[in-house]
Amino acid sequence: MRKTKNTYHHGDLAESLLVAVDEIATKFGLEAVTLRACAKLVGVSPSAAFRHYSDKKALLTAFATRALDQLSLAMSDAQYAAVENSSNPFHAVCLAYVKFALEKPAFFRAMWREESLYTSDKNYIAAALNLQAHMQAGFADTIEDKDPDSISPQELLAWSSVHGLAKLFIEGTVGRDNTMEEKIERARDMIIALDSAIK
Amino acid sequence: MRKTKNTYHHGDLAESLLVAVDEIATKFGLEAVTLRACAKLVGVSPSAAFRHYSDKKALLTAFATRALDQLSLAMSDAQYAAVENSSNPFHAVCLAYVKFALEKPAFFRAMWREESLYTSDKNYIAAALNLQAHMQAGFADTIEDKDPDSISPQELLAWSSVHGLAKLFIEGTVGRDNTMEEKIERARDMIIALDSAIK
DNA sequence: GGACTAATGTAAACGATGTTCACTTTTTTT
DNA sequence: AAAAAAAGTGAACATCGTTTACATTAGTCC
């Protein structure tokens, strides 16, 4: 797989650390992500990480940025598929958002943890704006929008509600004893209610 | 103010620690809340806290519970005032939710930080259910609800959207360079959109 | 009113974490 | 081939949450 001849120089530590964050977060939760654990997983001394990231926060910001991109991708995939099936793209995009949160909670939580992110980071902001664009693209045919640069109240409602539902699910505030399927069903119902409120 | 005669026994350390959490969180943010800092602020040794809370998490859970109660109160106040003024109670309750988040971000964030809370704590769950009840009470005249025990899709939409908007504001994802007034205005607009989607 | 007990505090220590610093090893440049 | 830059190491530090053994106070019972 990877040439482990020269063990001193790693090759692409920056990337490997991100993979390590992924692994640990997925397996043991975001709280278990520690610099030392990542370093150990990669097989490198803790201080090595600082050659590539100024901070733990910087590493997590990079990870969050990547997570945002994944979500954007999932949403545009869903939209594309909906157009193919000639089903409702608005529904599809909204549902994709909630589904992503349910299926990859570590990623979803990571991308919105302001307290452990540099939310002013250029790449992070760009990814967030990109996500917003994908969101609005999904709304395009459903919500009439005069000014495509700003967010209309309807768009804000749509985004807020899927975001909020995802959060409520993940926090366990809502649907604590629902199965995954039931949660998705509830999400679908909410999105239908949302739909009728928007057009 | 407080009799500082006997410095050994504090009197009501459990309560004082909660006040300390409040002070530090409000002044320096939730991340600055550390057991040692709280203890120092109260004037007590770090280990003393463990006589009253099994954990840092337990302390934060108690704080979150209190925050939930405050939010419940703010919402029922808003509802009451709206009824007095014969303005729209649904709008009032929703706006109160977002306003609380904007005005007391530390509290709002504290109550939803699953990662640092015992979300299965009895009191915490009770407070969360109570909040939900206040929410639904605010919706009562607006959203027709067959089964008052469960949450209808419309109610879920309402809750999700105000919760989501609050989060988006606090995270800085939306309205990063809006003033407080502008944010409230946007919230109002969103709630109006929500309203027309629900009845 | 004193003795016993429970409650509540302290001080010192531990392991884990993020981070820094002086140093070494490899890679790149010239 | 030499010099400079890049990427890694290991030891150390401060801080944090937490535990342990001990000290002090408050409450209760005879």
Side-chain angles (χ1 to χ4, degrees):
Chain A
M1 287 225 152
R2 176 177 293 271
K3 39 183 167 179
T4 32
K5 234 193 305 186
N6 283 340
T7 55
Y8 199 93
H9 276 173
H10 178 279
D12 194 355
L13 185 51
E15 170 63 24
S16 299
L17 283 173
L18 284 176
V19 174
V21 173
D22 181 341
E23 276 194 43
I24 297 177
T26 301
K27 225 177 282 182
F28 306 106
L30 256 190
E31 296 71 38
V33 174
T34 174
L35 265 189
R36 295 176 114 103
C38 293
K40 177 180 278 187
L41 186 58
V42 172
V44 99
S45 83
S47 41
F50 291 86
R51 298 285 171 198
H52 301 272
Y53 300 97
S54 63
D55 243 4
K56 185 189 183 184
K57 248 176 140 173
L59 170 61
L60 289 183
T61 303
F63 181 72
T65 303
R66 183 163 292 198
L68 283 171
D69 288 339
Q70 285 188 29
L71 176 51
S72 294
L73 187 62
M75 287 169 62
S76 67
D77 279 357
Q79 187 189 5
Y80 183 77
V83 171
E84 288 279 290
N85 307 343
S86 65
S87 59
N88 189 323
F90 176 68
H91 287 194
V93 169
C94 288
L95 197 58
Y97 194 96
V98 180
K99 259 188 179 167
F100 184 92
L102 289 175
E103 283 163 7
K104 302 194 169 185
F107 283 71
F108 188 76
R109 285 179 51 210
M111 64 177 127
W112 302 120
R113 291 232 304 186
E114 346 84 65
E115 73 255 37
S116 44
L117 300 178
Y118 288 120
T119 47
S120 307
D121 175 80
K122 259 184 65 175
N123 294 327
Y124 177 81
I125 290 188
L129 287 177
N130 186 246
L131 175 64
Q132 180 181 318
H134 278 283
M135 207 122 206
Q136 290 181 298
F139 302 165
D141 295 328
T142 302
I143 304 175
E144 38 157 324
D145 193 4
K146 295 108 193 170
D147 180 0
D149 275 345
S150 77
I151 307 180
S152 71
Q154 280 79 16
E155 282 171 334
L156 192 54
L157 172 62
W159 191 2
S160 293
S161 56
V162 292
H163 187 69
L165 181 61
K167 284 274 179 191
L168 289 175
F169 275 153
I170 285 184
E171 288 151 3
T173 318
V174 165
R176 188 184 289 269
D177 28 50
N178 286 151
T179 67
M180 179 74 86
E181 287 74 25
E182 289 169 335
K183 285 182 193 166
I184 291 182
E185 199 49 47
R186 294 184 73 171
R188 213 186 298 271
D189 289 344
M190 190 202 78
I191 292 168
I192 292 173
L194 168 64
D195 198 6
S196 72
I198 263 179
K199 49 180 56 151
Chain B
M1 289 234 145
R2 175 178 295 270
K3 37 184 167 176
T4 32
K5 235 193 302 184
N6 284 339
T7 55
Y8 198 94
H9 276 170
H10 179 277
D12 194 355
L13 186 50
E15 171 63 25
S16 299
L17 283 173
L18 285 176
V19 174
V21 173
D22 181 340
E23 276 194 43
I24 298 178
T26 301
K27 226 178 281 184
F28 306 107
L30 256 189
E31 296 72 38
V33 174
T34 173
L35 265 189
R36 295 178 113 102
C38 293
K40 177 179 278 186
L41 185 59
V42 172
V44 100
S45 83
S47 40
F50 292 86
R51 297 286 173 197
H52 302 271
Y53 300 98
S54 63
D55 243 6
K56 185 189 183 186
K57 248 177 141 174
L59 171 61
L60 290 182
T61 302
F63 181 71
T65 303
R66 184 163 291 199
L68 283 171
D69 288 338
Q70 285 189 27
L71 176 51
S72 294
L73 188 62
M75 285 168 62
S76 65
D77 279 358
Q79 189 189 3
Y80 183 77
V83 172
E84 288 280 289
N85 306 344
S86 65
S87 58
N88 189 323
F90 175 68
H91 287 196
V93 170
C94 289
L95 197 58
Y97 195 95
V98 179
K99 257 188 181 168
F100 184 91
L102 289 175
E103 283 163 8
K104 302 193 168 185
F107 283 70
F108 187 76
R109 284 180 50 210
M111 64 177 126
W112 302 120
R113 289 233 304 188
E114 348 84 64
E115 73 255 36
S116 44
L117 300 179
Y118 289 120
T119 47
S120 308
D121 176 80
K122 259 183 64 176
N123 295 327
Y124 177 80
I125 290 188
L129 287 177
N130 187 246
L131 174 65
Q132 182 183 315
H134 277 284
M135 207 123 206
Q136 291 181 297
F139 301 168
D141 294 329
T142 302
I143 303 175
E144 37 156 326
D145 193 3
K146 295 110 196 171
D147 179 1
D149 276 345
S150 77
I151 308 179
S152 71
Q154 280 79 17
E155 283 171 333
L156 192 53
L157 172 62
W159 191 1
S160 293
S161 56
V162 291
H163 187 70
L165 182 61
K167 284 275 180 192
L168 289 174
F169 275 152
I170 285 183
E171 288 151 4
T173 318
V174 165
R176 188 183 289 268
D177 29 50
N178 286 151
T179 66
M180 179 76 84
E181 288 75 24
E182 288 169 337
K183 282 180 194 166
I184 291 182
E185 200 48 47
R186 294 184 74 173
R188 213 185 299 271
D189 289 344
M190 191 203 76
I191 292 168
I192 292 173
L194 168 64
D195 199 5
S196 71
I198 264 181
K199 50 178 58 152

